[in-house]
Amino acid sequence: MSPATTKITLPNGTSYEQPTGLFINNEFVSGSSKNKIEVTDPNTGKSIIEVEAASVEDVDRAVAAARAAFEGDWSSVPAIQRGALLYKLADLVARDRELLAAIDAFDNGKPYGDALAVDLDEAINVFRYYAGWADKIFGKTIETSPEKLAYILQEPLGVCAQIIPWNFPMMILAWKVAPAIACGNSVIVKPAEQTPLSALYFGKLVQEAEAPAGLINILPGHGGEAGAALAGHLDVDKVSFTGSTATGRNIMRAASSNLKNVTLECGGKSPLIVFADANLEQAVKWSHVGGLFNQGEVCTSTSRIYVEDSIYDKFVELFVKEVKAASKVGAPFDDGTFQGPQVSRAQFDKVMKYIDIGKQEGAKVEMGGSKVEGDGYFIQPTIFTNVEEGMKIMTEEIFGPVVAIGRFTDEKDAIRKANNSSYGLAAAVFTENMRKGHKVAAKLAAGMVWINSSGDSHFGIPFGGYKSSGIGKDLGPYALDSYTQAKAVHVNLGVDL
């Protein structure tokens, strides 16, 4: 029995029909259990809607559908047609761009303008980028001797499980679905239980694009059940996960069931280094965006700031002034909102706990440090100064609007402090001396380094980290390697035994 859709009226006045079922084999279907996911509006703390929560049995159904699609007609579809499907999906997402952005703003709590100009525009570009790649994924021949022909086939992996985080729901769905489909795989998407609505709506676009049945499946569900079942499933060939490092470790353990291919984009505690010769005004503005954009719910957030001693006090003064002026806290659909609510009560409580820890550890609260009065999960943008190396607010990922600022004495000290972390996702360096900038960037243990900016990624450039920040890369041509495998073929042209 197909579950009914539910009419939702968004705060901006837009009404639409929201699917609430599991999307399997190109149909919205009821789950095999009575489990539901309650979706909450973080702006008010009130329930929005309930959607189906996938069980282990539902995971089995989706995997079977994805396997049948991969081994059926999809395996013989010309590459140019794979690209055509992705172009069609890009056009449909572009058509419904404003609605999808509004859904994510409502469901996640992020400012609508950011959801529109950052998340949705990126998603559209990613679908188009990989649509262009679909017929350009090929192998090669390797010269060995006149008696032998050797060539390499670049083949799809098969059934790919893709576990999406709640901070950029539609954007990261595109990051994962588009390259996997371009390479010829089938996929099962598990959106975060906090933000399943835009992914389910995307299922309607998959239907409208007339994608082959079972090619793209969407399973809202709880991580401990549906996510674990996907990661450990013996008929899943790959799992791609974006989320916390702790969950990434659990996924890696589960994926060992059949040694499936794994891509993990996990947590970070990214440093931002400001040298005395930096353009201080620009360093302050980029530090604000790099540390507090998207409510601080960004894996690459440069929330761990190190400033050279001689300009420390001046930087703090200007930074506090910038944050007070530019970090307007408000509802996602209010004009001028820079910071919305945290995504959930659990995330709100986690951030507030870290703020309390920072106070107890002796760091100075330059501004913020409290809940915003009223409904919803709003936290004041918070700046800690005089933060020492061992403090938890300097070493652990908070994932909220909290920035910690410490000092360094010289270049060597800055590099040592920046690398003193179990994470290695991103880093930023501010200096007007480009020789110094390149030198420091080369010595930072991070998968991404910005010089005189922070957080400005691009879909054509690989995204991923070192150390506990993950394995493998999203985006750019590097993501294609994550969704293909090389097969060597040896042809004997005349050697007799």
Side-chain angles (χ1 to χ4, degrees), residues 71-139:
E71 295 182 353
D73 293 341
W74 185 245
S75 63
S76 59
V77 167
I80 198 166
Q81 291 185 26
R82 298 201 299 266
L85 173 61
L86 290 173
Y87 277 124
K88 191 178 294 186
L89 287 171
D91 290 343
L92 292 171
V93 172
R95 183 197 68 191
D96 292 351
R97 168 179 174 265
E98 292 183 359
L99 173 58
L100 284 162
I103 292 171
D104 273 353
F106 185 44
D107 197 5
N108 168 275
K110 65 175 62 202
Y112 169 70
D114 290 342
L116 191 66
V118 178
D119 300 27
L120 265 297
D121 284 355
E122 171 92 352
I124 295 162
N125 285 333
V126 167
F127 276 115
R128 288 178 176 156
Y129 176 80
Y130 286 108
W133 265 110
D135 61 350
K136 300 169 186 68
I137 302 165
F138 45 77

Side-chain angles (χ1 to χ4, degrees), residues 22-44:
L22 310 176
F23 187 69
I24 301 175
N25 220 29
N26 267 25
E27 295 181 347
F28 288 100
V29 299
S30 297
S32 61
S33 72
K34 295 182 180 180
N35 293 334
K36 304 287 185 182
I37 293 173
E38 182 181 25
V39 182
T40 302
D41 175 6
N43 184 52
T44 63

